[in-house]
Amino acid sequence: AFGSDDDLKVLSQGIGNQSLDVGFHEQFHRLLGSWDWRLAPGLTHHFAPFVGLTRVEFEGNNSNTTNNTSTNVGGAIDTWNWGLRDQLQLDLNDAVTFRTGLDYLGQTFGVNFDVPLPIELGSFPREFSRISGVNQTFSSNVFNNASGVYLEAELSPWKGLKIVPGVRAELTIFTFLPNKLPDGTTSDPAAAQLFHVDPRITARWELLPWTTVKAAFGVYREPPQPDQINATTGNPNLVEPRAVHVIGGVEQGLTKDIHIDVQLYYTNR
């Protein structure tokens, strides 16, 4: 178990007729577990669950002593995370190892704001009716499920060479819960799905006791932010950003304590 709790406050007074107070509070907590079972000779089961909470709060106040007016801004973002990795590893011999498993990540993302919104917020493109220029309270809540399965092999055809080919398939489902809008109405629930299959391969070759050549190729994706794929604020048909990575390099040992790592990196997005 590990975590942190940080609090920052900035207070300023006497800057002309203005005073400004800003506060920022962040909490981060995680609980991890790990178990390994030897099911049979050469067959190992690894199970690692986790759960965590991240909370970010901020507030600000800007007051004017001349006309006794003030502007307040506040908000909180809560993210619950939970998931696991469940893996089977089969060691056939010193040269061949297979791994397959399941990754799961669940998230709830909640945002609450209390901010001054101008009248122009109701202008084109209008997502809700025109509102008055006073503080408004609204929220957004999203539930995210991501499941991935993978298969990889670790091959050592001869001493000093290791090749790891693999493939990963992942399904991500966003569920948008009904949320209260600044005009007092409630948004409709919505959902969006993303699916992809990506190949990857890495290799390391120890040419000499102090010299290793390495290379890697893979396709990687990152899910869009909830507001980007929400039908109200974004595009539910949005695809995940995709990047093809190609890496090559050399690790060279000069002395027992000094090593040089040189890499060439290419990305096609």
Side-chain angles (χ1 to χ4, degrees):
F2 61 95
S4 64
D5 193 332
D6 302 308
D7 199 8
L8 172 67
K9 292 186 181 297
V10 178
L11 307 176
S12 63
Q13 295 181 351
I15 304 177
N17 60 350
Q18 302 285 330
S19 65
L20 176 66
D21 301 335
V22 178
F24 181 82
H25 183 209
E26 181 176 4
Q27 298 180 56
F28 175 87
H29 305 287
R30 291 292 184 273
L31 178 63
L32 311 178
S34 180
W35 292 271
D36 291 288
W37 292 276
R38 185 177 174 86
L39 302 178
L43 182 61
T44 303
H45 179 210
H46 175 73
F47 182 69
F50 66 89
V51 63
L53 167 66
T54 301
R55 179 175 178 81
V56 178
E57 300 174 280
F58 60 92
E59 60 181 3
N61 175 269
N62 182 22
S63 59
N64 188 312
T65 58
T66 301
N67 53 18
N68 293 323
T69 60
S70 64
T71 302
N72 300 304
V73 177
I77 302 174
D78 290 323
T79 304
W80 281 96
N81 301 275
W82 63 93
L84 58 87
R85 163 162 284 197
D86 196 11
Q87 175 180 280
L88 281 176
Q89 177 172 312
L90 177 61
D91 299 310
L92 292 181
N93 49 51
D94 293 340
V96 180
T97 297
F98 292 103
R99 300 185 189 91
T100 185
L102 166 70
D103 289 332
Y104 169 73
L105 172 63
Q107 289 181 314
T108 59
F109 181 80
V111 180
N112 295 281
F113 288 108
D114 181 17
V115 296
L117 299 179
I119 296 177
E120 288 75 15
L121 189 62
S123 60
F124 182 84
R126 185 170 299 168
E127 297 175 4
F128 37 80
S129 304
R130 189 177 297 276
I131 57 179
S132 59
V134 296
N135 269 44
Q136 303 289 328
T137 300
F138 58 96
S139 62
S140 177
N141 295 278
V142 182
F143 181 62
N144 174 26
N145 272 304
S147 300
V149 293
Y150 60 91
L151 174 65
E152 66 180 27
E154 185 175 308
L155 310 175
S156 298
W158 59 78
K159 184 179 180 180
L161 176 63
K162 180 180 293 185
I163 304 173
V164 184
V167 63
R168 180 181 180 89
E170 187 166 327
L171 173 66
T172 303
I173 301 175
F174 291 92
T175 303
F176 300 94
L177 305 178
N179 297 304
K180 182 180 178 181
L181 300 178
D183 63 352
T185 62
T186 301
S187 64
D188 295 328
Q193 294 187 10
L194 299 169
F195 177 76
H196 62 263
V197 179
D198 297 324
R200 297 165 187 177
I201 185 171
T202 62
R204 291 176 60 87
W205 188 9
E206 186 178 335
L207 295 176
L208 300 170
W210 293 70
T211 305
T212 299
V213 178
K214 56 186 179 181
F217 167 87
V219 179
Y220 297 87
R221 304 174 197 252
E222 181 178 357
Q225 296 299 314
D227 62 316
Q228 296 174 328
I229 202 169
N230 190 333
T232 302
T233 59
N235 180 5
N237 298 318
L238 191 67
V239 297
E240 295 169 291
R242 173 180 176 272
V244 178
H245 293 195
V246 181
I247 303 173
V250 177
E251 297 177 6
Q252 178 65 52
L254 301 181
T255 68
K256 182 179 179 181
D257 300 318
I258 301 177
H259 298 265
I260 296 176
D261 187 348
V262 179
Q263 295 187 35
L264 296 177
Y265 188 90
Y266 171 78
T267 300
N268 184 357
R269 291 185 173 88

